Amino acid sequence: MNGTNGTNRNGADGTNGTKGNIIVVGSGPTGLLLAGDLAAVGIPVTVLEKRPHKISNLSRAFVLHARTLEQLDARGLADDLEESGQPLDRLRLFGRLSVDLSALPSRFHHLLVLPQYEVEKVLERRAAEAGADFRYETEVAGLTQDADGVTVEARGPGGRTESLRAAYVVGADGMRSAVRDAIGLPFPGKSVIRSVVLADVRLAEKPPTLLTVDAVGDAFAFLAPFGDGYYRVIGWHRGRNVPDAAPLDLAEVKEITRLALGRDFGMHDARWMSRFHSDERQAPAYRVGRVFLAGDAAHVHTPAGGQGMNTGLQDAANLSWKLAAVAAGHADRALLDTYQAERHPVGRAVLRSSGGIVRLAMARRPWTLAARAALTAFLNAVG
């Protein structure tokens, strides 16, 4: 892996010794796929990440969808991930809803249950081997752009600042994106679920299905395996609307799980617990001049449907080849306009679908319960 003194290589689009250089801010799955794609075709790319160099095992996402696996397969990565993950060709929801995925028109006719950190390991290794310049403990302190490029003020370890020049910048730096703030884009939306509990636990009893999810009365719970003996629990109770900083203990997690799933599977040895709130937000534009947004920097939504990491990876797959073609001088800059045109509607659709799943899952009113029953019948019929 290149260190903090990586060199610049010349390309076609840009000036002042940074021709073709691209800066990617954020080393989550979205940023890593972008960086790997660019470096693999010879585009010089620098990745800025404010966190230390460590891939956490406190994973947020657990599922790769068929379309995402197809994108990763085109890059020679899917087989390794398939070996690490666990395929799921049937998904049960709401107790009665069963969705058969085996008929999907894809080589990957399943969901792949795999923690996000395992995906990040594979993507980081690819990007580093291709020559991406990683700069950890480095954050964006300022950003300006002109007709020829973008200047990023980067603050590194010890508070040392440095001006970096690039032809383009991609903000893949999450919900609280410094890049999005620097280009003055709002992030309209709202919190839709508060006081969601998270815990990584061991179980005395193995759940009957690979992914376990249900909503009963005022409670919702989800269980997914890490593959290392621990399970991620996500739970929510309608009557417990407390701040994210409120204390959380295993007894509360177990109680919510029992209410939603009927039992707590003998949860014990929690290595991590937390609360969070889930927002639905989307930037009005994914591009301002030479600066782009991707992944959670562009859109966030509820975790329902496991679409977050997948949508971000597909953002990256859509943008990377376009940036590479323009930066190398093989395509007109107008090609970059298609990123907004193609991906913004997808982000909007994901917000609607994930929000709809949550609202149906937590339905109380008769008409929403009826809608859930209708969805169950429809998906069973076409599954």
Side-chain angles (χ1 to χ4, degrees), residues 87-159:
L88 180 67
D89 60 10
R90 182 173 291 275
L91 187 62
R92 297 190 64 84
L93 298 168
F94 305 151
R96 293 184 300 153
L97 171 59
S98 179
V99 183
D100 184 4
L101 305 173
S102 62
L104 284 173
S106 170
R107 172 193 168 196
F108 305 100
H109 40 79
H110 54 261
L111 298 175
L112 186 66
V113 179
L114 184 69
Q116 176 179 320
Y117 63 81
E118 295 290 351
V119 179
E120 290 180 354
K121 287 179 185 177
V122 170
L123 294 175
E124 184 192 74
R125 181 171 64 248
R126 172 185 180 241
E129 290 175 352
D133 176 13
F134 284 82
R135 305 189 183 197
Y136 293 96
E137 299 182 71
T138 302
E139 61 183 323
V140 173
L143 182 153
T144 58
Q145 59 178 314
D146 52 46
D148 296 321
V150 188
T151 300
V152 174
E153 298 299 326
R155 183 184 298 116

Side-chain angles (χ1 to χ4, degrees), residues 46-121:
T46 299
V47 181
L48 306 183
E49 172 54 63
K50 67 180 181 180
R51 299 171 300 176
H53 183 203
K54 178 183 178 182
I55 294 180
S56 172
N57 66 351
L58 303 178
S59 216
R60 290 181 297 170
F62 282 87
V63 172
L64 289 172
H65 294 182
R67 178 57 181 153
T68 306
L69 287 166
E70 290 172 350
Q71 294 282 5
L72 295 169
D73 191 35
R75 293 156 174 81
L77 303 174
D79 287 342
D80 286 347
L81 293 170
E82 288 273 303
E83 289 181 5
S84 301
Q86 301 178 72
L88 180 67
D89 60 10
R90 182 173 291 275
L91 187 62
R92 297 190 64 84
L93 298 168
F94 305 151
R96 293 184 300 153
L97 171 59
S98 179
V99 183
D100 184 4
L101 305 173
S102 62
L104 284 173
S106 170
R107 172 193 168 196
F108 305 100
H109 40 79
H110 54 261
L111 298 175
L112 186 66
V113 179
L114 184 69
Q116 176 179 320
Y117 63 81
E118 295 290 351
V119 179
E120 290 180 354
K121 287 179 185 177

Side-chain angles (χ1 to χ4, degrees), residues 280 301 307 345-359:
E280 289 179 351
H301 45 80
Q307 300 175 85
V346 172
R348 185 169 61 248
V350 170
L351 259 70
R352 290 174 177 170
S353 63
S354 63
I357 291 171
V358 165
R359 289 167 178 82

Side-chain angles (χ1 to χ4, degrees), residues 333-345:
R333 292 181 187 176
L335 176 64
L336 299 175
D337 294 334
T338 64
Y339 174 65
Q340 163 79 18
E342 293 169 1
R343 294 306 298 172
H344 195 274

